[in-house]
């Protein structure tokens, strides 16, 4: 017997409608590419999102059609978040920091009809356009007078498109399981794979983001969105902000510490979201400028961080500098991304700060709606005792069921469990402690670097017999790639030669920080590289050798 | 195009599974019928709910079958909440305070196969049983040695049923739109009508209950559940408690102020939910016992109240006595029940307490997921300007689409709007101000006078325990407000004193034409003022007493 409650679909358009109606004057603050501050409101964002929806219809972008963005965090990108999804089309946020080859693959694979781009990506768009047959037009996110001379077919101006429409547009109703956003993971093997979110999954994720034990987003928040809009729905923060009427602060492309600090200070930010590297840099900058700063200007009550493990020192720094609670989270593009969140339990009330930091240093606690479990190599479930380590699996209505176009094949088992590739322990209270990375991945400042891709390039060198890339610990970026080379018999190869060989074939920040020439590489019984052994032996290589990170260069 | 996220159904069994897994040791504290305190945990509640599910299966209670309860707030009733719904059957919570005739109608109408009852309802059950042909058995919520000699067919013992089962039971998966709970509204006209909730509606309601701007239920809460489990899912608190692992305190049938006070104190309650009458009584009792109480023992950070408008004096009392924020909510059985919630906006941060109480005295603010609007008599939408008054309508996935068995016919319009029967204004920020029930409005010479606002002002008088304003027939103005006052024990108040007290606080023509001092005011079974009875008894008061209309003066 079915209940007799209303069958209204959960649609993302309801969020911007709500924000417009009751929080219409709440500000959306953006730092533009030229550094100036732009002020908008939910009323304006909503009205312009409706104009955008009208423009999409005029351009022939329909239900389910993909719209790609190459853009930083700004009001226009936020308008795309609501305008594209509200209209029933799919917002495909592309990570512009990827190598152009990957970006080309991703946009082409998604088969989107239009690419909306910030002016900082003119060269990139020009380079890609000739090889993107599905793309019918390129929309520059600017005013008419700012329009660049980009050599792409069908170049359009965002503000012109909006000006040609009016604000009278009713958001359509459709199946809540309809696709809403699309985000590719830069996986370790093979090509990036797309995660296709639905209105339902994003709405449920929004509800949970508002929960007191999750992000507790409220109307009284001013949210600094450092996490890019192109990263897994910006951790759900834009949707949760609209759902509560919270103020949003969008820092654009200026992610240097001074820009972030002043914006957080000037806009009274109470909540910020960003990867650990951002905070490490911020603390270094604060140390250097301590005497001219009044730290009590910073009103942050909590900071959300994840993507890679947050160092305990960062947790402590936030507490001691600003009295800010660091919410340590774990999740993936495949989990929308919130899977766990580091809120406290009643028993922690009496803890001193040092003991509390130990709790906060775990990767968050299991929350309702996203199940987590551990399994061994044979797929047998392991106990949640805080000691036993196994592969982390997740399940729930905002967890992936499969990748876009079926890439990667079956990725969940018959009970719906998705293999995360992360190795972890889970305490009886549900705190997850990631003890190891997915085997092949290097996480540099929150960004994944695929080791196999670099290895494949390296072995293309005539003198190389075998190559391995491992994650070596790094004081600033947490991890940087270290390349180990086993030369062919009789062949000689040097570090400089290898780096020169790779140069231009991968993005700069993927370049290994060092190259070690070895006599042999260890293997498993089935002939696979034994990376655990390599990490044991070389994980501290960069620390021992004080090699400068290429990414800094 | 559909998204590629997991299609896991939203089921209530996931809540108790979560609570058992990660908050297994968290306490569920019950006051039993004999006054003693019983301590259970989520682990025990979950294990016993599974045993109960096994017992239901053995009794032949299947998917969609109704199971009725006549019970106070206790651990066994909580087990029924999770055991019955988790198994796919429908928990039908019956209000035992209704007249036996209504209770008979409701149980018979719902066609449930079993009635689970507390021992305080032995006589009621004996009286009803001969006329309940659908009921196959009666389960006493007690131990074997407590079994009463009740003359009903097929009398069973709850603890015996559970003892015969084991804890190995896997909650079934089914359509999330399946019926979960059933609750009848005690309408003032006609027969009660059933609201049939679904797992989906209750799960979405649970998510929103956890939101920072709604109830902000968290693992760190100890929740005093004064609102009965038979009232509209106890405002969703049992489900939200399990979803977060919050401690639950269940006061049983002892709702006298001393029992409530000591339980809140001893169990460190941080959140309490109850109707305004409970709080009025509590404050009177505290006044009488002030010298022997240490009010700082009370740890309440917030109190949830609604059902009828919360007087401003109650809001102020909570703040000044305990530093407790009163969350003023509005909702109905038909809205699951949360529709609005009185959280604050950034602009209220600078308000002094008196100005803040004015905000809190409104019936809460519109929240995401439950839309509210006003319409005039012709169905035309009215502005949300805080001034214009119209009938309140609601819409959303936890709002009714129709009553059980189609009673009452079509209750939502083609756009899904449900007519609440309440008359209200809505501010631009979304705060709802209920000015009256549509049927309680005083229509004086064609103008509406809101009875609730006058009542709220009257109870602020120190000698007043409770106040009611009704429409009394008037030869010239058709209707004029009549104020009925129930003074506090030992207090004396006169008509002139009351009118002087109100003078200047409301417009002249809203002034009651007469004031009647009474020994008590009648209430419905759900604690609301029974205005139909008052209108029967006092509707002709002005005609009989030839009182001059104040409005003429």
């Amino acid at each position: 017997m079915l209940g007799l409650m209303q069958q209204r679909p959960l649609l993302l358009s309801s969020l911007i409608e709500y924000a417009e109606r009751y929080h219409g004057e709440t500000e959306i603050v953006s730092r533009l590419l030229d550094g100036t501050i732009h002020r908008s409101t939910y009323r304006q964002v909503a009205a312009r999102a409706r104009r955008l929806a009208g423009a999409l219809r005029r351009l022939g972008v329909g239900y389910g059609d993909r719209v790609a963005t190459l853009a930083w965090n700004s009001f226009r990108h936020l308008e795309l978040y609501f305008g594209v999804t509200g209209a029933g089309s799919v917002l495909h946020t592309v990570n512009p920091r990827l190598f152009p080859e990957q970006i080309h693959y991703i946009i082409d694979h998604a088969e989107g009809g239009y690419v909306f781009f910030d002016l900082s990506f003119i060269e990139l768009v020009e380079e890609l356009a000739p090889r993107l047959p599905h793309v019918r037009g390129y929309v520059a996110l600017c005013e008419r007078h700012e329009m660049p001379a980009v050599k792409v077919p069908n170049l359009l101006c965002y503000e012109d498109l909006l000006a040609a429409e009016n604000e009278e547009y009713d958001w359509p109703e459709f199946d809540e399981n309809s696709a809403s956003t699309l985000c590719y993971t830069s996986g370790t093997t093979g090509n990036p794979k797309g995660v296709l979110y639905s209105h339902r999954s994003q709405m449920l994720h929004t509800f949970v983001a508002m929960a007191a034990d999750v992000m507790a987003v409220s109307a009284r928040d001013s949210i600094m969105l450092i996490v890019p809009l192109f990263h897994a729905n910006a951790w759900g923060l834009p949707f949760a902000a609209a759902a509560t009427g919270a103020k949003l602060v969008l820092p654009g492309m200026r992610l240097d510490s001074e820009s972030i600090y002043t914006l957080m200070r000037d806009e009274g930010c109470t909540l910020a979201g960003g990867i650990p590297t951002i905070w490490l840099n911020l603390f270094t900058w604060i140390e250097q400028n301590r005497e001219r700063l009044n730290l009590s200007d910073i009103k942050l009550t909590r900071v959300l961080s994840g993507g890679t493990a947050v160092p305990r020192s960062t947790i402590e720094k936030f507490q001691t500098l600003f009295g800010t609670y660091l919410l340590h989270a774990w999740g993936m593009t495949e989990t929308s991304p919130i899977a766990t969140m580091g809120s406290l339990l009643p028993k922690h009330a009496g803890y001193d700060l040092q003991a509390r930091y130990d709790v906060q240093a775990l990767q968050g606690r299991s929350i309702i709606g996203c199940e987590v479990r551990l399994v061994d190599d044979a797929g047998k479930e392991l106990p949640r005792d805080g000691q036993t380590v196994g592969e982390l699996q997740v399940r729930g209505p905002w967890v992936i069921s499969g990748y876009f176009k079926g890439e990667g094949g079956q990725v969940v088992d018959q009970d719906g469990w998705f293999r995360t590739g992360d190795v972890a322990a889970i305490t009886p209270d549900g705190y997850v402690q990631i003890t190891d990375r997915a085997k092949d991945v290097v996480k540099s400042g929150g960004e994944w670097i695929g080791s196999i891709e670099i290895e494949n390039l390296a072995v293309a060198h005539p003198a190389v017999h075998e190559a391995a890339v491992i994650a070596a610990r790094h004081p600033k970026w947490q991890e940087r790639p270290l390349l180990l080379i086993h030369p062919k018999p009789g062949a000689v190869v040097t570090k400089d030669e290898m780096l020169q060989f790779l140069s231009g074939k991968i993005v700069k920040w993927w370049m290994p920080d060092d190259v070690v020439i070895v006599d042999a590489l260890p293997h498993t019984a089935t002939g696979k590289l034994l990376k655990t052994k390599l990490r044991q032996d070389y994980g501290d290589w960069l620390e021992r050798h004080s090699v400068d990170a290429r990414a800094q260069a």
Side-chain angles (χ1 to χ4, degrees), chain A residues 109-374:
Chain A
H109 187 265
E111 299 179 56
Y114 286 85
V115 176
F116 287 66
F117 66 98
D118 266 346
L119 297 189
S120 50
F121 302 116
I122 290 173
E123 288 170 28
L124 177 63
V125 168
E126 274 185 343
E127 181 184 341
L128 298 174
R131 295 177 295 139
L132 291 171
H134 300 293
V135 178
R136 303 196 300 276
Y138 295 81
V139 183
L141 293 166
C142 64
E143 306 271 1
R144 161 60 46 192
H145 68 84
E146 297 171 310
M147 279 298 281
V150 198
K151 294 176 217 73
V152 294
N154 195 21
L155 177 68
L156 301 165
C157 168
Y158 181 81
E159 293 296 337
D160 276 1
L161 285 179
L162 264 55
E165 306 296 325
N166 68 57
E167 294 169 12
E168 306 302 312
Y169 175 94
D170 287 326
W171 298 112
E173 271 195 24
F174 41 77
D175 185 340
E176 69 184 25
N177 292 300
S178 299
S180 56
T181 56
L182 173 64
C183 196
Y184 280 70
T185 62
S186 38
T188 55
T189 56
N191 284 315
K193 293 189 281 293
V195 177
L196 191 63
Y197 307 95
S198 70
H199 284 260
R200 172 184 165 98
S201 71
Q202 283 301 295
M203 284 294 285
L204 294 175
H205 190 267
T206 300
F207 278 123
V208 90
M210 299 187 293
D213 279 347
V214 184
M215 298 201 270
V217 175
S218 97
R220 295 171 300 287
D221 275 321
S222 167
I223 304 175
M224 177 70 167
L225 202 69
I226 303 171
V227 52
L229 287 166
F230 54 75
H231 266 192
N233 307 299
W235 301 351
L237 283 164
F239 295 132
T244 54
K247 174 176 170 178
L248 266 179
V249 182
L250 306 168
M253 68 182 290
R254 303 221 176 180
L255 299 181
D256 63 281
S257 295
E258 178 152 17
S259 298
I260 286 174
Y261 183 92
T262 54
L263 203 53
M264 290 201 301
R265 179 194 65 200
D266 297 347
E267 303 303 330
C269 293
T270 56
L271 169 62
I275 56 169
T277 306
I278 292 284
W279 311 129
L280 285 177
N281 294 341
L282 179 68
F283 294 139
T284 303
W285 178 84
I286 286 175
E287 236 163 73
Q288 292 160 352
N289 298 273
R290 186 76 184 245
E291 70 282 356
R292 67 181 181 91
L293 301 176
N294 181 2
L295 297 187
S296 66
D297 289 340
I298 299 295
K299 302 302 181 195
L300 285 177
T301 60
R302 57 213 194 283
V303 155
L304 179 67
S305 199
T308 159
V310 183
R312 196 173 178 287
S313 58
T314 297
I315 294 165
E316 181 166 7
K317 268 272 163 56
F318 266 118
Q319 187 65 44
T320 52
L321 290 183
F322 311 122
T324 303
Y325 183 87
L326 188 131
L327 270 168
H328 197 170
W330 177 84
M332 319 169 68
T333 305
E334 289 88 341
T335 63
S336 294
I338 299 172
T340 63
M341 191 61 67
S343 65
L344 297 175
L345 293 169
K347 69 179 183 186
H348 302 133
Y351 279 32
D352 64 25
L353 279 177
Q354 294 301 325
R356 208 193 73 187
Y357 298 150
D358 290 339
V359 178
Q360 286 178 263
L362 302 173
Q363 273 77 34
R365 188 159 63 78
S366 175
I367 56 172
I368 193 71
C370 186
E371 295 175 83
V372 295
R373 72 169 188 180
L374 302 177

Side-chain angles (χ1 to χ4, degrees), chain A residues 407-478:
Chain A
E407 302 286 349
Q410 183 77 19
V411 295
V412 299
D413 69 17
Q414 72 269 24
D415 296 320
W417 290 100
F418 172 75
R419 297 183 58 173
T420 66
D422 272 340
V423 175
I426 303 177
T427 73
D429 296 325
Y431 286 94
V432 169
Q433 180 166 27
I434 307 285
T435 57
D436 212 342
R437 305 275 192 268
K439 291 192 296 287
D440 305 335
V441 156
V442 182
K443 278 194 179 175
S444 171
E447 299 277 354
W448 284 27
I449 295 177
S451 58
I452 289 176
E453 185 165 344
I454 306 173
E455 289 162 7
N456 287 346
L457 286 166
V459 294
H461 187 284
V464 172
H465 170 66
E466 196 177 19
V469 169
I470 64 156
R473 290 189 294 280
H474 189 276
K476 180 166 179 188
W477 301 101
Q478 287 86 57

